[in-house]
Amino acid sequence: MLLDDERLDYLLAEDLRIIQSPSVFSFSLDAVLLARFAYVPLKRGKIVDLCTGNGAIPLFLSARTESSIIGVELQERLAYMARRSVEYNGLHQQISIIEGDVKEIPAQLGIEKFDVVTCNPPYFPAHEMSDKNLSEHMAIARHELYLTLDESVEAASKLLKQGGKAAFVHRSGRLIDIITAMRANRLEPKRVRLIYPKAGKEANTLLIEGIKDGKPDLKILPPLIVYGENGEYTEEVRELLYGSE
């Protein structure tokens, strides 16, 4: 079942397993934060996770909802990892993984058919790819080589029904860019939460959720601090990762 340097990791809070690889792809804390931040219907609904990587966000969401979830991933190897994790956890009736280009997915899956879209897009412009030692898989996942922020927001909007919700995680420095892209694509920002590595440091990550054709009314949520003064995860982050004691 496992290939090359793949390993089977625990998703402790959800009591699930996921296939990961240090050379191909491993999910980050950002995926956990987005999966916990996004609104999801408890019972009935249709969810799409764009840029799904090895399927971490669909797996996390499956513990919160009975809705059907589609994960979309451009890279064949990552999509294969995601499919095997779904099968291993017996979630193939709830989660399906599609290998495809996010830009083309609305036409493939249907315009305005979905209730929720989540997306952890590539964070960095292609011209900022200074680390030439990144594997091809990592480079595509992290840099806008095949998908820009604007394109991911446009795809999310096309997939969503009117009143549907889209949630993104991104670098905090792109806040204006993502709000501009959302409003240009009929997604009205409704909730923002900034993530800080430590108290007293600048935010480095943001979570943002918008409603398609929603009314303007943005809520700025309390900050989330990742590490305490002792260098260990804060209580909130520990609970997100490992569940309540």
Side-chain angles (χ1 to χ4, degrees):
M1 177 181 174
L2 297 178
L3 308 176
D4 303 329
D5 62 353
E6 290 178 351
R7 64 181 189 265
L8 197 60
D9 285 350
Y10 285 85
L11 305 180
L12 291 176
E14 291 75 19
D15 193 27
L16 297 172
R17 309 290 184 271
I18 188 169
I19 296 170
Q20 307 226 86
S21 163
S23 63
V24 178
F25 190 88
S26 297
F27 74 86
S28 69
L29 178 61
D30 294 357
V32 182
L33 297 176
L34 178 60
R36 300 302 190 132
F37 173 78
Y39 160 84
V40 288
L42 290 177
K43 297 285 186 183
R44 296 179 182 175
K46 297 172 69 177
I47 301 169
V48 178
D49 178 52
L50 303 176
C51 310
T52 206
N54 63 342
I57 289 174
L59 290 174
F60 287 129
L61 292 178
S62 72
R64 297 182 53 207
T65 179
E66 297 176 10
S67 300
S68 66
I69 305 168
I70 297 173
V72 178
E73 174 52 45
L74 176 67
Q75 300 189 63
E76 179 181 7
R77 176 70 190 277
L78 272 62
Y80 182 46
M81 291 170 69
R83 284 195 193 98
R84 284 180 289 142
S85 291
V86 169
E87 289 287 337
Y88 184 88
N89 289 288
L91 292 168
H92 50 278
Q93 291 185 330
Q94 181 182 14
I95 301 173
S96 56
I97 304 296
I98 294 177
E99 182 188 332
D101 189 326
V102 165
K103 298 187 291 293
E104 299 169 3
I105 283 298
Q108 183 177 337
L109 295 182
I111 304 297
E112 299 191 342
K113 299 288 187 185
F114 293 87
D115 303 285
V116 176
V117 175
T118 54
C119 183
N120 182 0
Y123 286 157
F124 306 106
H127 65 78
E128 290 184 9
M129 201 173 75
S130 57
D131 186 354
K132 303 302 182 185
N133 295 318
L134 282 177
S135 71
E136 181 185 9
H137 300 290
M138 299 268 194
I140 292 171
R142 293 179 182 177
H143 293 81
E144 295 179 335
L145 299 173
Y146 294 99
L147 183 72
T148 66
L149 174 57
D150 285 353
E151 288 167 343
S152 60
V153 173
E154 181 181 3
S157 178
K158 287 180 178 178
L159 287 164
L160 282 176
K161 301 173 182 175
Q162 187 173 27
K165 296 183 178 182
F168 303 88
V169 61
H170 217 290
R171 301 286 92 182
S172 53
R174 303 291 298 275
L175 176 60
I176 301 304
D177 294 337
I178 197 166
I179 287 177
T180 300
M182 289 173 73
R183 280 195 152 175
N185 287 281
R186 298 168 55 195
L187 296 176
E188 184 60 32
K190 302 291 283 186
R191 295 193 299 139
V192 170
R193 191 172 195 191
L194 294 175
I195 315 302
Y196 297 79
K198 281 189 172 183
K201 298 289 187 180
E202 293 182 357
N204 60 1
T205 305
L206 69 88
L207 298 162
I208 187 166
E209 184 178 72
I211 295 180
K212 188 166 184 177
D213 297 328
K215 296 180 180 178
D217 180 24
L218 179 63
K219 290 180 171 58
I220 309 294
L221 303 180
L224 188 152
I225 312 296
V226 176
Y227 295 104
E229 292 302 316
N230 57 4
E232 297 182 357
Y233 285 131
T234 58
E235 184 176 345
E236 181 175 4
V237 172
R238 282 185 59 81
E239 187 168 326
L240 292 175
L241 287 169
Y242 309 123
S244 53
E245 296 288 328

